[in-house]
Amino acid sequence: MSGILEGKRVLITGVLMESSIAFHTAKLAQEQGAEIILTAFPRPTLTERIAKKLPKPTKVIELDVTNDEHLGRLADIVGEELGSLDGVVHSIGFAPQDALGGNFLNTPFESVATAMHVSAFSLKSLTMACLPLMQNGGSVVGLTFDAQYAWPQYDWMGPAKAALEATSRYMARDLGKQNIRCNLISAGPIGSMAAKSIPGFSDLAAVWDTRSPLEWDLKDPEPAGKGVVALLSDWFPKTTGEIIHVDGGLHAIGA
């Protein structure tokens, strides 16, 4: 029996650690039949080492999503490797340290602007860079952290994720005519590199200990990876502008 991504070609960003959602997405995508290509920044060599743990070899290309030159050459590089694309995974987020950890009211705009550019606007810029390779439609999937709420320590990454969620909806509106679906997975906390950059991350993660209906494991990114792969597949052919929660059900529980 073939996998649900058999014949698909997918670009995946954000593979930095074996514990990341992006790594497990890449692993599952290959297991489900996809050809993949990875992007990395600022240390492609780190991603190249991690990529050796995937089931099949894959190319890693340097991509700074805030660099117009990098974005401008992306389609040519990916086209030479894969020919075309059926899916794009946006697993990119960054905020300077003074935008996190309880400093919300004192964060300068320059830091907020960086968080918004890297974490939200890049969904649009990455997708548009890949658009020439998606002539037959496809699926864009991003990763968010439920922006309905103000989370402990998360600070300006919260508004950045809210902007990411809105960006995905507007992209769904404008790219639907090209048969491109844009959706997000809202995952619970995972002990990834991104999480380790958040001061007081344990305070945020502790919310899941008391409120999540399903037991949540900080060390298990695979459920979120499965959600991404499902949205990349043809099993959600008419779903776009959606946010699928893979958070143990916490989003449904008030207290």
Side-chain angles (χ1 to χ4, degrees):
M1 183 175 177
S2 61
I4 63 172
L5 295 186
E6 194 68 39
K8 301 287 189 188
R9 298 167 180 179
V10 181
L11 179 144
I12 301 173
T13 66
V15 175
L16 294 175
M17 298 174 68
E18 195 172 354
S19 60
S20 69
I21 295 172
F23 174 85
H24 283 264
T25 296
K27 177 175 179 288
L28 290 162
Q30 286 189 333
E31 290 172 352
Q32 290 298 318
E35 290 184 73
I36 68 170
I37 191 166
L38 306 180
T39 74
F41 189 80
R43 294 170 61 193
T45 53
L46 175 61
T47 298
E48 286 169 355
R49 287 201 300 271
I50 298 300
K52 291 178 181 177
K53 300 182 180 182
L54 291 170
K56 300 176 184 177
T58 184
K59 185 178 180 64
V60 177
I61 58 177
E62 183 179 28
L63 175 66
D64 175 0
V65 289
T66 68
N67 185 312
D68 289 340
E69 183 180 336
H70 283 201
L71 292 166
R73 69 190 186 208
L74 182 63
D76 288 340
I77 296 172
V78 176
E80 288 177 8
E81 189 72 17
L82 298 181
S84 63
L85 282 175
D86 303 288
V88 175
V89 178
H90 180 279
S91 182
I92 300 169
F94 172 77
Q97 283 296 297
D98 60 357
L100 299 163
N103 194 48
F104 185 85
L105 297 179
N106 299 308
T107 303
F109 176 72
E110 290 76 14
S111 296
V112 175
T114 297
M116 291 289 180
H117 193 173
V118 178
S119 308
F121 183 78
S122 64
L123 179 65
K124 192 278 296 188
S125 53
L126 174 65
T127 301
M128 294 306 291
C130 293
L131 198 60
L133 301 175
M134 302 179 77
Q135 296 301 309
N136 296 317
S139 176
V140 177
V141 185
L143 288 162
T144 188
F145 190 73
D146 202 331
Q148 297 179 85
Y149 307 107
W151 297 103
Q153 313 299 329
Y154 207 51
D155 291 357
W156 281 99
M157 275 303 294
K161 290 297 187 183
L164 175 73
E165 293 175 8
T167 299
S168 181
R169 287 189 288 269
Y170 278 92
M171 285 174 49
R173 181 195 70 179
D174 290 349
L175 294 176
K177 62 179 71 73
Q178 294 168 250
N179 198 31
I180 294 174
R181 295 170 285 125
C182 301
N183 296 289
L184 300 176
I185 291 291
S186 181
I190 297 295
S192 62
M193 182 174 287
K196 291 176 180 178
S197 70
I198 302 173
F201 174 75
S202 59
D203 295 340
L204 187 158
V207 177
W208 266 255
D209 294 336
T210 56
R211 282 179 51 198
S212 178
L214 298 175
E215 183 178 357
W216 187 256
D217 185 354
L218 288 170
K219 298 178 182 178
D220 186 11
E222 188 172 81
K226 286 181 175 179
V228 175
V229 168
L231 286 172
L232 288 170
S233 78
D234 294 331
W235 285 92
F236 283 88
K238 298 300 178 184
T239 299
T240 194
E242 186 60 272
I243 300 173
I244 304 293
H245 289 81
V246 183
D247 66 348
L250 185 136
H251 71 281
I253 306 302

